[in-house]
Amino acid sequence: MSQLADNQPRRLPYTGSCHCGNIRYVVFLTLPPASLVGVTKPPPSRGVQRIYRCNCTVCHKSGFLHVRPASAFDDFFLLSPLDPLDTLGDYLCNKKTLHNLFCKTCAVRCFTIHGEGEVVEASLPRAIALPGTSSSEDAVSVNAWRLKPVELTEGIPHQGSYLSVNGQTIDPGQEGFDVREWAESKSIGYLDCFHSPDQRKPPRCDRPQIGGSY
């Protein structure tokens, strides 16, 4: 079931994983997302949910669909592994500031981060935290890795923290989740990150930027 029963935006937890299951995470998203028709500039980089594709060579070649939750600290919990920078493959780019982490077994890239992380005790819905269990409203406490909350300061690369989840790795079949609907409702922004800042085209939602893909 993809559509929410009342089609009203709701913040819900969604599971995601690499192909082999070595990487497992939970991301909180507000779905269905808002249409970007008429939007002529990128939304604030903090405090709002963002869904977009960019045409930089890294994201284009890896087919990365950026899903950036409203809070990098409160909306993403990595269930496995709990030491991502030590266990996962790491491709550094963007002046060596962004960690493009990928599974060493199946090579799927699930998320990109900047900043320090920590293992915390997170309260998550039982059916989400423990895959294979029956649906339940009860929450369960689990150990999970997340980015450490920091004071966001302009002038610091990525304001001291950055998180972008690859929407292609969110597990299909969950309530309210259907990337097709995002594209059909024009809720995916297309950003121009290939050209230099002074030559970049304004964001749009009708079609990818030059060199990009749907």
Side-chain angles (χ1 to χ4, degrees):
M1 180 170 144
S2 63
Q3 290 190 349
L4 297 172
D6 54 10
N7 207 37
Q8 294 298 312
R10 283 191 287 164
R11 179 179 179 270
L12 294 171
Y14 292 92
T15 62
S17 61
C18 64
H19 190 262
C20 72
N22 179 47
I23 300 174
R24 293 189 301 111
Y25 65 84
V26 173
V27 60
F28 284 82
L29 300 175
T30 298
L31 298 179
S35 172
L36 297 177
V37 173
V39 175
T40 59
K41 62 181 181 179
S45 60
R46 305 292 168 177
V48 297
Q49 179 177 284
R50 303 178 65 191
I51 301 173
Y52 61 90
R53 286 192 186 274
C54 82
N55 59 349
C56 80
T57 54
V58 174
C59 294
H60 175 68
K61 287 179 180 289
S62 63
F64 200 93
L65 172 60
H66 288 270
V67 177
R68 296 180 60 183
S71 172
F73 319 122
D74 302 317
D75 291 337
F76 178 81
F77 297 94
L78 183 64
L79 304 181
S80 173
L82 297 181
D83 55 349
L85 290 175
D86 294 328
T87 300
L88 300 178
D90 187 5
Y91 177 63
L92 285 167
C93 67
N94 200 317
K95 298 181 180 179
K96 305 295 184 180
T97 60
L98 291 180
H99 296 272
N100 295 275
L101 301 174
F102 59 90
C103 176
K104 291 182 179 179
T105 300
C106 64
V108 170
R109 174 183 164 197
C110 288
F111 57 98
T112 299
I113 61 169
H114 168 82
E116 296 184 10
E118 62 181 352
V119 176
V120 299
E121 187 174 301
S123 179
L124 300 172
R126 184 179 298 276
I128 290 291
L130 302 175
T133 62
S134 59
S135 179
S136 172
E137 294 298 323
D138 295 334
V140 61
S141 293
V142 297
N143 288 331
W145 181 97
R146 70 166 186 179
L147 281 174
K148 286 184 179 179
V150 297
E151 182 177 349
L152 304 178
T153 305
E154 295 290 350
I156 298 177
H158 312 300
Q159 294 186 316
S161 71
Y162 176 95
L163 167 72
S164 190
V165 175
N166 184 0
Q168 302 289 161
T169 65
I170 297 175
D171 299 326
Q174 300 180 80
E175 181 182 13
F177 179 80
D178 192 332
V179 175
R180 299 175 306 169
E181 295 173 359
W182 300 0
E184 292 166 0
S185 64
K186 299 190 184 307
S187 298
I188 299 175
Y190 297 100
L191 307 186
D192 181 14
C193 297
F194 182 78
H195 300 96
S196 61
D198 60 332
Q199 295 180 324
R200 287 178 182 173
K201 306 298 183 182
R204 59 196 189 197
C205 61
D206 57 336
R207 62 197 298 261
Q209 301 283 352
I210 295 175
S213 62
Y214 285 99

